[in-house]
Amino acid sequence: MAVASEAVGRGTVRRLAGALHRRPRLRLSLLLTAPLLWLAVLYLGSLAVLFVSAFWTTNSFTSEVVKVWSTDNFRELFTTPVFRQVILRSVGVALAVTVLCAVIAFPLAFYTARVAKPRWRPLLVVAILTPLWASYLVKVYAWRLILSEGGLADWMLKPFGLSGPGFGLPAAVLTLTYLWLPYMVLPIHTALEQLPANLLDASADLGARAWRTFRSVVLPMVLPSVAAGSIFTFSLSLGDYITVQIVGGKTQLIGNLVYSNIELNLPMAAALGTVPVVVIVLYLLAMRRTGALSSL
């Protein structure tokens, strides 16, 4: 009996395997069901709860959440000057960090992909990515020591009669640029490494100077990768609040307001939290036109 039942079980497994082999779409659906369900329940579900709670209110006396539908939180966001300034400042910081990362990453990636000897290129890429292996807080506090009064920045600039930026908005932009720079270097390096050398030779043969070759040949082919890297630098900078809290002095961004309101006014914190989500979605739609999403 045991042998017969084992044979029946093996036959059932074979029939099931054969059915899945003949139906690749069914096999793919079964493989993706669990991760998609996890994504829908935990990620999209939490975003839905965030969006819904943004329309609730808070009892001004007890600070308890009142589940009554209202648009007061969003009206306050766009009518209160402080909130408007913080939102604009947050977007401006994210854009500034993205531009700085692109400006620094392009020559760095060009050297690692086109100038350095082939045997050194993997080591250089590893060296660029090495800061990502260190703790986020360790790197931020290291920059706090560098930018503090009498720190390394002051010591290096003192011979020129200058001083470091100290703590504030410039320090936050500088630290965020350092934190997210590898995310910009890597896609640009990959794009430049895949750039056909005969295109550069053909441009030179046709009499194009270095700037014209960069503008007409290199930049159009690498631009999707720059846009792909900007998705990381922009979104990570827009949602950051720890760096600003450590080196930003009195500067406040959206993340700081969310953190400060989450205990006293949860619906307002949720309304503030929806702002970067909407901004990032709009940014992704804009970058989609450049082909950045296919370069990720």
Side-chain angles (χ1 to χ4, degrees):
M1 291 293 293
V3 176
S5 61
E6 186 177 351
V8 171
R10 283 199 297 266
T12 303
V13 171
R14 288 195 188 96
R15 287 194 295 271
L16 180 60
L20 292 176
H21 180 72
R22 292 189 297 271
R23 298 174 176 84
R25 291 185 178 180
L26 176 61
R27 185 171 68 250
L28 181 62
S29 300
L30 292 176
L31 287 173
L32 294 178
T33 296
L36 288 178
L37 186 62
W38 182 273
L39 175 67
V41 172
L42 292 184
Y43 183 70
L44 298 180
S46 61
L47 286 179
V49 171
L50 173 71
F51 184 71
V52 171
S53 60
F55 290 93
W56 294 341
T57 57
T58 303
N59 188 298
S60 58
F61 182 72
T62 62
S63 297
E64 292 184 358
V65 176
V66 180
K67 298 180 180 179
V68 177
W69 188 267
S70 174
T71 58
D72 291 345
N73 294 325
F74 289 101
R75 187 181 303 111
E76 187 175 354
L77 277 184
F78 295 106
T79 56
T80 305
V82 174
F83 288 141
R84 287 203 309 267
Q85 292 172 5
V86 170
I87 292 172
L88 293 175
R89 185 187 302 129
S90 301
V91 176
V93 166
L95 290 174
V97 171
T98 299
V99 171
L100 284 175
C101 284
V103 171
I104 298 172
F106 208 100
L108 190 60
F110 188 83
Y111 178 81
T112 60
R114 311 295 303 190
V115 178
K117 295 181 179 180
R119 63 179 179 177
W120 291 108
R121 291 174 187 174
L123 296 177
L124 291 173
V125 173
V126 170
I128 291 171
L129 297 179
T130 298
L132 295 179
W133 304 345
S135 170
Y136 173 94
L137 287 176
V138 169
K139 292 183 288 187
V140 176
Y141 274 107
W143 272 99
R144 180 178 175 86
L145 292 175
I146 292 172
L147 298 172
S148 61
E149 186 177 355
L152 181 61
D154 283 345
W155 178 77
M156 293 180 65
L157 295 174
K158 188 176 181 180
F160 304 98
L162 302 174
S163 61
F167 301 141
L169 191 59
V173 172
L174 182 62
T175 305
L176 289 172
T177 302
Y178 166 78
L179 290 174
W180 314 135
L181 181 61
Y183 292 102
M184 181 68 80
V185 174
L186 190 59
I188 297 177
H189 168 88
T190 303
L192 289 172
E193 198 173 33
Q194 296 173 352
L195 187 67
N198 56 3
L199 289 179
L200 303 180
D201 295 337
S203 178
D205 292 340
L206 292 173
R209 296 176 179 265
W211 172 247
R212 180 60 185 273
T213 300
F214 170 78
R215 188 182 61 194
S216 302
V217 178
V218 177
L219 188 59
M221 298 192 68
V222 179
L223 190 59
S225 297
V226 177
S230 74
I231 293 174
F232 293 103
T233 58
F234 182 84
S235 58
L236 291 171
S237 301
L238 186 64
D240 193 280
Y241 76 96
I242 298 178
T243 296
V244 181
Q245 199 156 340
I246 294 174
V247 300
K250 297 181 180 180
T251 304
Q252 282 193 322
L253 300 183
I254 294 178
N256 305 104
L257 290 184
V258 173
Y259 178 77
S260 61
N261 280 278
I262 200 165
E263 293 291 340
L264 299 176
N265 194 340
L266 182 61
M268 176 56 72
L272 286 164
T274 59
V275 174
V277 174
V278 173
V279 172
I280 290 171
V281 169
L282 294 176
Y283 190 82
L284 287 173
L285 292 176
M287 291 299 104
R288 184 172 177 267
R289 295 178 174 270
T290 67
L293 299 182
S294 61
S295 300
L296 292 175

